[in-house]
Amino acid sequence: MHIVHVVGARPNFMKVAPVLHALAGRPGVTQTLVHTGQHYDPNMSDVFFQQLGIPAPDVNLSVGSGTHARQTAEIMTRFEPVVVERKPDMVLVYGDVNSTVAATLVCSKLGVLVGHVEAGLRSFDRAMPEEINRLVTDQLADLLFTPSEDGDVNLHREGIPKEKIHLVGNVMIDSLVRLLPEIVRHTRSDLPKRYALVTLHRPSNVDDSEALKGILKSLLEVSQDLAVVFPAHPRTRQRIADFGLNADQLRLLDPLPYVEFLALQRGATVVITDSGGIQEETTYLGVPCLTLRNNTERPVTVSVGTNVLVGQDAQKLRSELANILDGKAKKGTVPPLWDGRAGERIADVLTGTQLSGSVSLPGAKKDVSHSTPSKPVVR
Ligand code: UD1
């Protein structure tokens, strides 16, 4: 069985690693890794490959940045010939980034099976580009691997046949569990004992000058009580400069490698973020997390974990922070199946399922053929 994995952006890399590793040991499986090049800065990409033990990509589509339409279209145009040439039995896509939906669209039209890792998450907010990517990808995917039960519930509600859905747990936590000994060993001597760790990159928070100004003002307030350590995403740093905003009181750092960043999370008094994955990692680590969003596609981090949604409400951020500093932080537990074995469960499903011949997956395309782009498959 030939499996092609498609990744492109930073949060994909910690998700593909455990699946690649789990499948590497399975007889009869060959794997191809495609990097779309959506993220291309070395500190957004290469360093993650090294630390996570991911082999160099077999194919790099080098698409780079662009508007959503341009980036998605570019990935599709460059990925299509790869699928036609390599004839995979299954293409695995990860998370909710533009690379995820672009690769899924290409495969669906070529009649190639798609598996979506981290399926079923919903913020119910279609203003988020990622929500659009999730909805489209899940409608088209043939196998849907969910991290938590809410994902299954969402997919059932959208009419996805239950045979396609596999509750496998959280692959991102697999990477965390595997590298935890290194994360624990990693200490920084240049930081105070207590600090707030901040990340920020959602368009709704950083592309609007008023929103970003308000958040930075709140963070400056936080910095009166607690050092604020802020590894900034390239787009965020760019916006701070574009809007002429002041972040002088904050310790602005370049994006950090995986182990260094997880070590900072583990040691933080509080994490303040608008990321999706960080809500999950803090829940696993038991570190208080204040999320600068009004919704989350990862509700389990709020219902059982350490996460609290504060949106852009400065007052709420202040009062939740005061609770944490008073030692009254919310205590969480780790959701079921966030145990470091999700990648193995995905490998079990894939290798236990016959993808060609007379047996086909429920709802999957039959007679998978690989046409040239000029002769699309008509089904
Ligand atoms: C993407 C994902 C988002 C994910 C985030 C993690 C989509 C729709 N969004 O958002 O879900 O949480 O990655 O980081 O796919 N840039 C660089 N260097 C890079 C990459 C980007 O400087 O290596 C800059 C460019 O100016 C670019 C901007 O960041 O235009 C945005 O990058 P892009 O990949 O389009 O989206 P992200 O904001 O990173």
Side-chain angles (χ1 to χ4, degrees):
M1 185 197 309
H2 178 200
I3 295 178
V4 166
H5 306 262
V6 181
V7 293
R10 183 170 60 179
N12 292 155
F13 307 140
M14 46 296 256
K15 294 170 194 166
V16 75
V19 185
L20 272 168
H21 294 149
L23 283 167
R26 307 283 173 124
V29 174
T30 55
Q31 308 190 70
T32 298
L33 181 59
V34 176
H35 189 331
T36 66
Q38 177 174 346
H39 283 176
Y40 44 84
D41 282 359
N43 61 7
M44 297 287 282
S45 180
D46 304 11
V47 70
F48 287 82
F49 276 65
Q50 287 150 22
Q51 292 196 337
L52 292 159
I54 307 173
D58 300 287
V59 179
N60 196 324
L61 304 177
S62 304
V63 296
S65 300
T67 63
H68 284 273
R70 197 173 277 277
Q71 189 177 58
T72 306
E74 202 60 54
I75 297 167
M76 290 180 68
T77 307
R78 297 187 193 194
F79 183 54
E80 185 180 57
V82 175
V83 179
V84 170
E85 188 197 321
R86 302 216 174 209
K87 303 185 182 7
D89 298 298
M90 163 74 64
V91 172
L92 291 182
V93 297
Y94 295 82
D96 56 15
V97 302
N98 287 342
S99 302
T100 312
V101 73
T104 302
L105 278 164
V106 167
C107 294
S108 306
K109 301 237 175 179
L110 288 173
V112 172
L113 296 170
V114 177
H116 183 203
V117 178
E118 199 187 80
L121 300 188
R122 296 289 180 271
S123 65
F124 303 100
D125 174 5
R126 292 195 183 191
M128 281 180 83
E130 294 83 359
E131 184 75 352
I132 308 298
N133 295 344
R134 292 180 201 117
L135 284 162
V136 174
T137 301
D138 285 343
Q139 275 302 317
L140 297 178
D142 302 283
L143 281 177
L144 297 101
F145 299 107
T146 54
S148 45
E149 253 175 62
D150 52 288
D152 296 45
V153 172
N154 292 334
L155 294 173
H156 290 145
R157 194 187 317 103
E158 290 169 18
I160 308 288
K162 69 175 188 317
E163 300 78 17
K164 289 185 175 185
I165 305 169
H166 298 268
L167 176 58
V168 292
N170 192 322
V171 281
M172 190 147 185
I173 299 303
D174 285 16
S175 284
L176 206 175
V177 169
R178 194 168 72 85
L179 287 171
L180 200 53
E182 263 187 70
I183 292 163
V184 170
R185 270 200 303 276
H186 198 280
T187 48
R188 266 180 95 123
S189 50
D190 59 336
L191 290 180
K193 220 171 138 23
R194 286 162 71 77
Y195 57 89
L197 176 66
V198 173
T199 81
L200 208 56
H201 74 281
R202 293 260 152 245
S204 55
N205 282 334
V206 305
D207 288 352
D208 178 275
S209 66
E210 284 310 305
L212 184 56
K213 197 168 161 188
I215 292 170
L216 289 182
K217 187 163 169 265
S218 295
L219 294 176
L220 289 176
E221 267 183 51
V222 173
S223 72
Q224 320 268 305
D225 296 320
L226 209 54
V228 174
V229 181
F230 186 178
H233 186 286
R235 67 183 288 132
T236 308
R237 201 180 265 273
Q238 186 62 45
R239 294 296 180 262
I240 293 174
D242 291 346
F243 301 146
L245 299 174
N246 176 11
D248 293 348
Q249 301 300 108
L250 317 177
R251 288 180 192 234
L252 235 58
L253 310 177
D254 284 335
L256 291 169
Y258 183 75
V259 170
E260 284 77 351
F261 185 73
L262 260 302
L264 274 191
Q265 271 196 67
R266 188 172 161 269
T269 306
V270 58
V271 174
I272 302 173
T273 188
D274 62 6
S275 152
I278 293 171
Q279 298 171 47
E280 300 181 334
E281 289 165 345
T282 45
T283 277
Y284 185 84
L285 293 168
V287 173
C289 180
L290 302 179
T291 297
L292 301 173
R293 291 173 47 189
N294 296 318
N295 54 50
T296 178
E297 61 288 331
R298 293 159 161 95
V300 73
T301 62
V302 176
S303 57
V304 312
T306 57
N307 189 20
V308 177
L309 301 182
V310 298
Q312 291 176 354
D313 181 342
Q315 179 53 42
K316 180 131 202 246
L317 177 66
R318 233 175 273 134
S319 63
E320 291 294 341
L321 184 68
N323 280 341
I324 293 165
L325 294 178
D326 280 356
K328 293 188 214 129
K330 183 179 167 193
K331 301 271 174 286
T333 56
V334 177
L337 300 179
W338 291 24
D339 58 358
R341 300 203 39 84
E344 291 291 344
R345 289 187 201 101
I346 291 172
D348 289 345
V349 172
L350 290 172
T351 53
T353 315
Q354 207 161 343
L355 297 177
S356 56
S358 55
V359 183
S360 63
L361 288 165
K365 290 96 175 169
K366 300 196 174 77
D367 297 329
V368 172
S369 63
H370 304 282
S371 69
T372 60
S374 56
K375 282 195 255 162
V377 180
V378 179
R379 290 198 300 269

